């Protein structure tokens, strides 16, 4: 049976609208046959004008309404309006039917206007929600890629802050980077000591970290104290019974240089269990300050830490965990082979990996630290190994310090062990 051309909106002729009743009824019966026999299984709805295809549960409700002559004329007039094309599956029940006869064209706007119970199928709603979620995820990935590739001006927000000295801050840190090697102790200075070793140094530094915490001193004071001890021991032989005196005196000098309120000598004697007298502390102070030639203005890891944390745009947890990594490194003698700037950068990178913030070193951090990820990897791997054993052994002062609420319990975070497998 050959279908009528009234199914196709582009071939509607005036004779079909105003002709004889017999011919029109045959055509109408053909149209109704195509509509009534529409499949009840899901069909594919394609929106025109560039709108993305959507799948609907069933379009039987859209095509159940009979098409009359008046409505067919309206379709011929509204050819320019958005249409929904409902494509029927290819069923070989009518081999002689043309391709245009296998589809029915329905005006969406007309259907919505005449139907009060039009509801978007649930499957379409779910599909649209899923597509919106995919678009949102794509945007987040693109934003993350942009952050990793674009170098951010970290000083742009402080241009009106005179204390930030934005005009000179890059020159200041370039100078720090230039002179940092001159303010460091040699990596093998313990070979010149005859009565002390690196294990004794580790015990002293671990104890001083606890003393520093009990006196509630500034972070700069701790880093300068360790620097003074290493630089003094690099040029001055010390017997083991005087090693604690060297540590107490270095803490006193660092407090005088950094702190507003300096602990009195009697407090330092008391904290050392009265092992030394006031005169011994003052004599050691004179010897140390003259040996170091009054050079206390040296860039420590703390100086670079503040700058690199700003470049990393880190939060409080990353900051605390970075200081935890750095203080673990202060105790270890082998970490003297790394300059302070590398210790600071590696600590921040390790903290980011530990917290899952990022496993890469961003371009912004690379610019302001002058270190790449590959350059930091060796130092970072050592910090991870220190973190793994921080809670065991005799030297647990740093771990106890950072296991309290004041420091966010950051010492209890699992170490970034995957960095040990990186090459």
């Amino acid at each position: 049976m050959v279908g009528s051309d009234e199914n196709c909106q582009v071939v509607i002729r005036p004779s079909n609208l105003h002709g004889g009743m017999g011919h029109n009824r045959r055509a109408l019966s053909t149209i109704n046959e195509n509509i009534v026999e529409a499949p009840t299984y899901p069909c594919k709805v394609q929106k025109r004008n560039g709108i993305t295809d959507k799948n609907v549960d069933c379009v039987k409700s859209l095509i159940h309404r009979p098409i009359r002559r008046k409505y067919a004329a309206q379709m011929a007039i509204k050819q320019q309006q958005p249409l929904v094309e409902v494509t029927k599956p290819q069923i070989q029940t009518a081999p002689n039917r043309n391709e245009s006869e296998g589809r029915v064209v329905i005006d969406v706007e007309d259907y919505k206007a005449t139907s009060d119970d039009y509801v978007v199928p649930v499957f379409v709603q779910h599909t649209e929600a899923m597509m919106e979620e995919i678009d949102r995820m794509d945007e987040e990935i693109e934003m993350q890629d942009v952050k990793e590739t674009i170098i951010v001006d970290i000083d742009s927000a402080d241009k009106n802050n005179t204390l930030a000295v934005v005009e000179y801050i890059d020159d200041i840190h370039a100078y720090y980077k230039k002179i940092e090697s001159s303010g460091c102790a040699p990596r093998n200075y313990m070979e010149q000591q005859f009565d002390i070793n690196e294990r004794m140094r580790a015990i002293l530094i671990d104890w001083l970290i606890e003393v520093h915490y009990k006196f509630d001193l500034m972070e700069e004071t701790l880093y300068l104290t360790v620097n003074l001890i290493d630089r003094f021991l690099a040029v001055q032989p010390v017997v083991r019974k005087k090693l604690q005196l060297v540590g107490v005196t270095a803490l006193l000098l660092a407090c005088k240089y950094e702190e507003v309120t300096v602990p009195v000598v009697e407090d330092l004697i008391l904290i050392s269990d009265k092992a030394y007298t006031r005169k011994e502390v003052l004599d050691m102070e004179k010897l140390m300050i003259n040996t170091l030639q009054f050079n206390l203005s040296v860039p420590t890891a703390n100086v670079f830490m503040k700058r690199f944390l700003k470049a990393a745009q880190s939060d409080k947890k990353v900051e605390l965990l970075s200081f935890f990594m750095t203080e673990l490194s202060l105790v270890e003698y082998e970490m003297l082979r790394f300059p302070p700037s590398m210790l600071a950068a590696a600590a921040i990178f390790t903290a980011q990996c530990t917290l899952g913030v990022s496993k890469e070193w961003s371009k912004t951090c690379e610019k302001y630290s002058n270190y790449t990820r590959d350059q930091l990897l060796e130092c970072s791997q050592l910090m991870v190994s220190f973190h793994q054993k921080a809670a065991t052994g005799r030297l647990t002062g740093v771990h106890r310090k950072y296991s309290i609420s004041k420091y966010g319990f950051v010492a209890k975070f699992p170490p970034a062990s995957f960095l040990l497998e990186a090459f």
Side-chain angles (χ1 to χ4, degrees):
M1 176 179 178
V2 179
S4 172
D5 289 336
E6 287 187 358
N7 269 348
C8 182
Q9 62 173 348
V10 297
V11 296
I12 297 177
R13 299 182 178 87
S15 60
N16 292 339
L17 299 176
H18 304 286
M21 294 300 293
H23 179 69
N24 289 340
R25 288 182 179 179
R26 284 197 299 272
L28 184 60
S29 63
T30 303
I31 295 175
N32 290 336
E33 177 185 1
N34 291 335
I35 294 175
V36 173
E37 293 179 358
T40 59
Y41 43 81
C43 303
K44 185 177 182 182
V45 177
Q46 298 177 343
K47 291 186 179 180
R48 294 183 181 178
N49 299 329
I51 303 177
T52 309
D53 294 347
K54 305 292 183 179
N55 292 327
V56 298
D57 186 25
C58 185
V59 295
K60 183 176 179 180
S61 61
L62 298 178
I63 61 177
H64 185 68
R65 180 166 55 96
I67 299 180
R68 305 181 185 276
R69 295 191 188 95
K70 181 178 179 181
Y71 182 68
Q74 291 177 356
M75 290 196 304
I77 296 173
K78 297 181 179 180
Q79 292 182 6
Q80 303 299 326
Q81 295 185 357
L83 302 177
V84 173
E85 188 179 61
V86 182
T87 305
K88 297 175 61 178
Q90 295 181 358
I91 304 176
Q92 298 181 357
T93 56
N96 297 327
R97 178 175 298 180
N98 295 331
E99 182 180 358
S100 61
E101 295 175 347
R103 60 182 65 179
V104 178
V105 180
I106 299 176
D107 194 319
V108 176
E109 300 298 332
D110 182 75
Y111 176 75
K112 290 182 179 180
T114 57
S115 179
D116 296 333
D117 56 348
Y118 175 78
V119 180
V120 178
V122 178
F123 189 85
V124 173
Q125 297 176 358
H126 291 175
T127 304
E128 292 177 350
M130 182 175 64
M131 294 300 295
E132 292 177 358
E133 180 68 16
I134 293 175
D135 293 340
R136 185 186 64 80
M137 293 174 63
D138 290 340
E139 291 178 359
E140 291 180 356
I141 293 174
E142 290 176 0
M143 290 300 296
Q144 184 177 0
D145 294 338
V146 168
K147 290 181 180 179
E148 293 178 355
T149 56
I150 294 180
I151 298 177
V152 181
D153 183 7
I154 62 176
D155 298 315
S156 59
D158 297 326
K159 289 184 178 180
N160 296 327
N161 184 7
T162 56
L163 298 178
V165 290
V166 175
E167 298 85 355
Y168 314 110
I169 190 66
D170 289 332
D171 295 333
I172 292 173
H173 278 270
Y175 177 73
Y176 284 156
K177 188 72 180 294
K178 180 180 179 180
I179 67 170
E180 67 173 337
S181 58
S182 62
C184 298
R187 54 186 297 181
N188 57 348
Y189 75 83
M190 275 295 175
E191 297 177 359
Q192 303 176 4
Q193 294 289 338
F194 60 92
D195 198 31
I196 60 176
N197 53 36
E198 56 189 57
R199 176 66 180 175
M200 297 177 184
R201 174 195 175 274
I203 296 173
L204 174 66
I205 302 302
D206 186 76
W207 174 75
L208 285 173
I209 290 175
E210 294 190 48
V211 174
H212 172 271
Y213 171 70
K214 289 181 179 179
F215 279 105
D216 196 19
L217 302 175
M218 300 172 62
E219 293 293 339
E220 296 89 332
T221 303
L222 176 62
Y223 289 89
L224 182 57
T225 299
V226 178
N227 178 272
L228 296 179
I229 292 173
D230 288 327
R231 289 167 56 205
F232 179 74
L233 294 179
V235 295
Q236 183 69 38
V238 176
V239 295
R240 64 180 64 187
K241 67 178 182 179
K242 296 290 185 179
L243 183 60
Q244 189 178 16
L245 177 61
V246 172
V248 171
T249 305
L251 181 62
L252 177 62
L253 285 173
C255 288
K256 289 182 177 180
Y257 190 82
E258 298 286 359
E259 300 289 339
V260 176
T261 303
V262 181
V264 296
V265 178
E266 285 73 14
D267 292 339
L268 298 176
I269 295 174
L270 183 63
I271 203 69
S272 59
D273 199 20
K274 299 182 180 180
Y276 310 103
T277 63
R278 176 183 175 86
K279 184 178 183 304
E280 287 178 313
V281 173
L282 297 179
D283 289 343
M284 180 58 71
E285 182 183 19
K286 294 177 184 178
L287 176 61
M288 183 175 292
I289 199 70
N290 282 283
T291 302
L292 300 177
Q293 298 179 353
F294 289 83
N295 184 18
L296 304 183
S297 299
V298 293
T300 62
N302 183 76
V303 174
F304 297 101
M305 183 79 73
K306 295 179 179 179
R307 183 67 171 169
F308 298 165
L309 284 171
K310 187 177 182 180
Q313 300 177 356
S314 58
D315 56 11
K316 190 63 176 178
K317 282 189 176 181
V318 174
E319 178 182 349
L320 292 173
L321 191 55
S322 301
F323 278 103
F324 170 66
M325 297 294 177
T326 313
E327 292 186 22
L328 286 176
S329 302
L330 292 179
V331 179
E332 303 295 334
Y333 172 75
E334 62 178 315
M335 300 301 283
L336 289 175
R337 58 193 173 104
F338 299 109
S341 59
M342 181 174 285
L343 285 176
I348 297 173
F349 171 66
T350 308
Q352 288 179 334
C353 293
T354 303
L355 295 174
V357 175
S358 175
K359 295 183 180 180
E360 298 297 330
W361 191 238
S362 67
K363 294 296 182 180
T364 303
C365 294
E366 185 175 329
K367 174 185 181 297
Y368 287 98
S369 66
N370 292 321
Y371 291 113
T372 63
R373 182 184 185 275
D374 294 336
Q375 291 174 318
L376 300 177
L377 191 56
E378 181 184 1
C379 184
S380 182
Q381 288 174 338
L382 288 173
M383 290 181 177
V384 172
S385 64
F386 300 152
H387 188 187
Q388 288 178 337
K389 60 182 181 181
T392 61
R394 296 177 56 189
L395 305 180
T396 58
V398 180
H399 186 271
R400 292 196 306 270
K401 174 182 176 180
Y402 284 89
S403 296
I404 60 177
S405 59
K406 179 180 179 180
Y407 294 98
F409 307 101
V410 294
K412 297 182 179 181
F413 284 108
S417 301
F418 67 90
L419 288 176
L420 299 178
E421 302 174 359
F423 295 96

